[in-house]
Amino acid sequence: MCGIIAYSGNENAGDIIINGLQALEYRGYDSAGMTVFTKEKPLTIKTAGRVLQLKEKAVNIAEKSFCGIGHTRWATHGKPSETNAHPHTTELLSVVHNGIIENYSELREKLSKDGYSFTSETDTEVAARLIHHNFRETQNPVEAIIKSTAEFRGSYALCIIFNSVPDHVFAVRKDSPLILGKSKSGHFIASDISAFSDYADTFYRMADGEISEISKSDIKLYTDNGELKEIIWNKNTESDTQMNISSVFKNFMLKEINEEPDAVKRTFLSLTKDSLPCFSDIIPENLLKTVKRIHITACGTAYHAGLTGKYYIEKLSRIPCNVETAGEFRYSDPITDKNDIVIIISQSGETADSLAALRLMKERGIPVISIVNSVGSSIEAESDYTIRTSAGREVSVASTKAFSVQITALLLFACELAVKKNKITEDECRKISAQINKTYSYDIQEVISCSKSIRNAAEVLSESDEVFFIGRSYDSYLATEASLKLKEITYINSQAYPAAELKHGTISLIEQNTPVIAIATNTMFFDKMRSNIEEVRSRGAFIISVCPCDADIIKEVSDISITIPAAEKLVYPFTTAAAIQLLAYYTAEIMGRDIDKPRNLAKSVTVE
Ligand code: M6R
């Protein structure tokens, strides 16, 4: 987490850094700060607020600055405050950091014995003092960085300004991303291309251990032992048009839900040929023919997409599929075999636990397929094969359209696998494609446009302290995603359960008017779901159902029904997703929440 940008060039560094930090706020927005070189000396400005507040404070910088580093923080060590905000400075240098120095208390103790004192609670200040210490000894920035990082345990992306080397910024990374950028006006270092994509036309993704040095006129890359190495530049094709909300939408979350039909369509078209899934350019055919078991691992919403993917894969291809959150999977010593494959799902492609799970599987020689939305991300770079989803940039912290494209990719992958395993025919596959086509052409849009019942349900939820979501089979996965979305942006406590599980304990929490949201799209379970609804209803629950428009058996026992167009069961997760996302959205709107930037969160979780 945390966003970093550094610049050295002919433009005003202060402006470039502020713009870059605004693009990086998705990585954290607890506090912000920057150090810029003015003619006289380095100047550090920090705020316990967001980048906008930093911008207001920076207005007072009288002189233009041509070099600087900036940071937007997601607090790990020490509460969000001006003291804990980055950059951390000493008399010799200024440092911004993304990641966690795990042995910081050990290092802090050692440095204290050497006479250093500390003002913040952060691990970054320890890094700053250690680099300061080593720079005092070596008088060489690169050597000081090499000596210091040799003592760090954990993950870091660091940008450092040494006061005695004006107009230069040095950087080093391990397990946290850093990208170099080059434009006509100068050079950049940032956590993500989006921070400089308005200016730079080429970029380079730094590898672990590499050290870089940018100045107005030059950009250098060093190996981890300080030898110069060549930079192989890539063309920057990222367009930032998606960063604008447009006048139609109040915020990114609403905009991104509205983009779902197009995002699903783009993803569908990019992964099909003549309406049949087409993965031959991405995954070797033999891998699909020989696979005996699939592991899916991911975090948060991507994990819930993975659960839906398990349903698709097992239903269509009958290949067993195990789904686990990446944070658990990586430490569970998972049982793997030679005919296994692993699927890592990530919108950002930078999630620390998912990346670590990927690396573990690669060490074991298990083929890794990633499903990634962000072009050029670490997960994409390190996977054996990547299925790219085409949601476009997702800005709102709450993931919405990314989920829809992830399940699109998973459904198509499951079809491809099932055909290769002779479990379904190409004709059956075409029928599934036709269902997806109907979904993105009409059904998702209908859910988005006819949102009156969703708004009514949101009124009820906005008055509640506790909400329950239930469902069966794939609907229970959507229930889990619905609960996450509601908690994330409204701060209402909610829980999701497979519908049959409630009576094994949790039903004791149901009181008069407790909202229970029953997701019931699978005709196979209508009778069972109705019984489960009756069980909570008779104990006073207020029932909000999400069901097909023709599901009278469910509607009859509901106080409010959110209906979705009738369809085949494989594609109900698409319309259900839009409905439950909007339910969370409208509830948060009624409650006046900061929808795109909910408290305590960041878009990209790059610490474990
Ligand atoms: O970038 P990723 O897909 O790897 O992110 C995984 C989760 O952090 C993410 O889905 C998170 O749960 C969302 N904020 C939920 O809306």
Side-chain angles (χ1 to χ4, degrees), residues 113-298:
K113 283 187 191 140
D114 287 338
Y116 290 95
S117 57
F118 297 85
T119 51
S120 79
E121 303 153 90
T122 65
D123 52 337
T124 308
E125 192 185 7
V126 176
R129 301 260 181 247
L130 185 63
I131 299 169
H132 167 106
H133 179 78
N134 289 321
F135 183 63
R136 224 175 40 183
E137 275 183 9
T138 61
Q139 291 301 313
N140 179 312
V142 174
E143 275 177 41
I145 290 170
I146 294 173
K147 255 186 123 179
S148 306
T149 49
E151 293 195 54
F152 293 157
R153 270 202 324 268
S155 59
Y156 48 83
L158 293 161
C159 283
I160 310 142
I161 279 180
F162 294 87
N163 300 352
S164 57
V165 198
D167 289 350
H168 287 240
V169 181
F170 294 81
V172 62
R173 65 154 281 192
K174 181 181 165 274
D175 292 343
S176 294
L178 276 181
I179 324 279
L180 304 178
K182 194 165 68 163
S183 75
K184 286 195 187 81
S185 83
H187 297 113
F188 301 81
I189 311 171
S191 307
D192 176 357
I193 304 173
S194 64
F196 55 68
S197 58
D198 277 355
Y199 313 94
D201 40 20
T202 47
F203 73 93
Y204 170 77
R205 172 172 293 280
M206 283 174 65
D208 273 355
E210 286 179 345
I211 299 164
S212 59
E213 175 183 0
I214 61 165
S215 63
K216 198 185 284 188
S217 55
D218 202 8
I219 185 157
K220 288 185 185 142
L221 189 67
Y222 304 89
T223 62
D224 55 1
N225 52 25
E227 281 160 26
L228 272 173
K229 69 185 275 195
E230 195 192 347
I231 305 176
I232 316 276
W233 292 99
N234 296 295
K235 199 99 205 101
N236 178 19
T237 50
E238 172 117 334
S239 128
D240 242 3
T241 51
Q242 313 234 4
M243 286 298 292
N244 305 318
I245 302 182
S246 96
S247 52
V248 183
F249 301 108
K250 283 192 192 153
N251 48 43
F252 281 106
M253 185 173 175
L254 192 59
K255 170 178 180 274
E256 287 161 6
I257 294 171
N258 275 273
E259 285 168 355
E260 281 174 17
D262 278 347
V264 171
K265 179 178 178 180
R266 275 197 304 273
T267 304
F268 173 82
L269 292 178
S270 70
L271 298 175
T272 53
K273 207 170 171 188
D274 300 331
S275 290
L276 278 179
C278 181
F279 288 79
S280 53
D281 292 344
I282 306 172
I283 305 164
E285 191 175 350
N286 201 36
L287 196 65
L288 299 184
K289 282 193 165 155
T290 53
V291 62
K292 295 220 170 87
R293 190 172 48 158
I294 294 175
H295 305 265
I296 298 183
T297 187

Side-chain angles (χ1 to χ4, degrees), residues 576-597:
T576 306
I580 54 105
Q581 291 159 359
L582 284 170
L583 181 60
Y585 175 83
Y586 288 125
T587 311
E589 189 185 43
I590 294 165
M591 296 174 84
R593 299 300 192 213
D594 187 349
I595 294 181
D596 284 338
K597 292 190 181 114

Side-chain angles (χ1 to χ4, degrees), residues 299-302 345-351 354 397-399 406 481 484-485 488 602-605:
C299 302
T301 290
I345 309 170
S346 177
Q347 187 285 129
S348 63
E350 300 295 347
T351 301
S354 307
V397 165
S399 195
Q406 284 159 355
E481 172 60 7
L484 170 67
K485 213 96 296 171
E488 186 175 23
K603 178 81 182 148
S604 181
V605 184

Side-chain angles (χ1 to χ4, degrees), residues 340-596:
D340 289 4
I341 59 174
V342 173
I343 300 179
I344 312 268
I345 309 170
S346 177
Q347 187 285 129
S348 63
E350 300 295 347
T351 301
D353 281 321
S354 307
L355 187 57
L358 179 158
R359 289 178 178 160
L360 175 72
M361 290 299 103
K362 286 204 75 180
E363 268 167 40
R364 292 191 185 183
I366 307 293
V368 176
I369 301 173
S370 60
I371 298 180
V372 176
N373 194 51
S374 297
V375 178
S377 64
S378 304
I379 290 180
E380 174 173 7
E382 295 190 32
S383 304
D384 297 306
Y385 316 103
T386 297
I387 301 172
R388 274 195 191 159
T389 52
S390 312
R393 191 175 163 80
E394 195 181 61
V395 178
S396 173
V397 165
S399 195
T400 53
K401 61 177 176 173
F403 177 85
S404 308
V405 295
Q406 284 159 355
I407 60 172
T408 309
L410 285 159
L411 178 51
L412 291 170
F413 172 83
C415 288
E416 172 93 343
L417 184 64
V419 171
K420 295 281 176 284
K421 293 280 186 193
N422 294 321
K423 296 287 181 198
I424 62 170
T425 62
E426 287 198 344
D427 263 1
E428 286 169 304
C429 230
R430 269 187 225 285
K431 282 185 189 142
I432 297 171
S433 287
Q435 291 163 27
I436 303 175
N437 188 306
K438 171 177 175 283
T439 299
Y440 68 66
S441 304
Y442 309 103
D443 293 354
I444 303 175
Q445 191 54 54
E446 193 174 323
V447 173
I448 296 171
S449 309
C450 310
S451 57
K452 191 162 182 298
S453 57
I454 303 181
R455 287 167 195 266
N456 291 342
E459 291 285 350
V460 175
L461 299 195
S462 67
E463 300 287 320
S464 312
D465 299 327
E466 178 127 62
V467 174
F468 293 88
F469 289 87
I470 55 171
R472 282 170 179 263
S473 176
Y474 60 82
D475 281 335
S476 76
Y477 307 146
L478 270 296
T480 315
E481 172 60 7
S483 172
L484 170 67
K485 213 96 296 171
L486 189 76
K487 283 182 280 230
E488 186 175 23
I489 62 167
T490 68
Y491 322 145
I492 296 172
N493 188 23
S494 81
Q495 304 187 42
Y497 280 89
E501 271 295 301
L502 268 196
K503 55 186 164 297
H504 296 283
T506 312
I507 203 164
S508 65
L509 296 173
I510 304 292
E511 291 175 359
Q512 196 59 37
N513 288 330
T514 305
V516 173
I517 295 148
I519 304 181
T521 68
N522 191 340
T523 41
M524 221 176 109
F525 297 116
F526 278 174
D527 288 342
K528 303 283 172 212
M529 278 302 289
R530 183 175 168 126
S531 305
N532 296 138
I533 291 172
E534 295 281 22
E535 286 157 15
V536 285
R537 204 165 126 90
S538 59
R539 287 162 179 85
F542 185 92
I543 307 296
I544 298 165
S545 59
V546 179
C547 61
C549 50
D550 55 2
D552 292 340
I553 182 170
I554 301 295
K555 290 201 278 188
E556 280 159 17
V557 286
S558 307
D559 296 292
I560 297 177
S561 291
I562 297 170
T563 56
I564 53 180
E568 297 294 328
K569 63 173 173 259
L570 287 174
V571 289
Y572 276 134
F574 293 82
T575 40
T576 306
I580 54 105
Q581 291 159 359
L582 284 170
L583 181 60
Y585 175 83
Y586 288 125
T587 311
E589 189 185 43
I590 294 165
M591 296 174 84
R593 299 300 192 213
D594 187 349
I595 294 181
D596 284 338

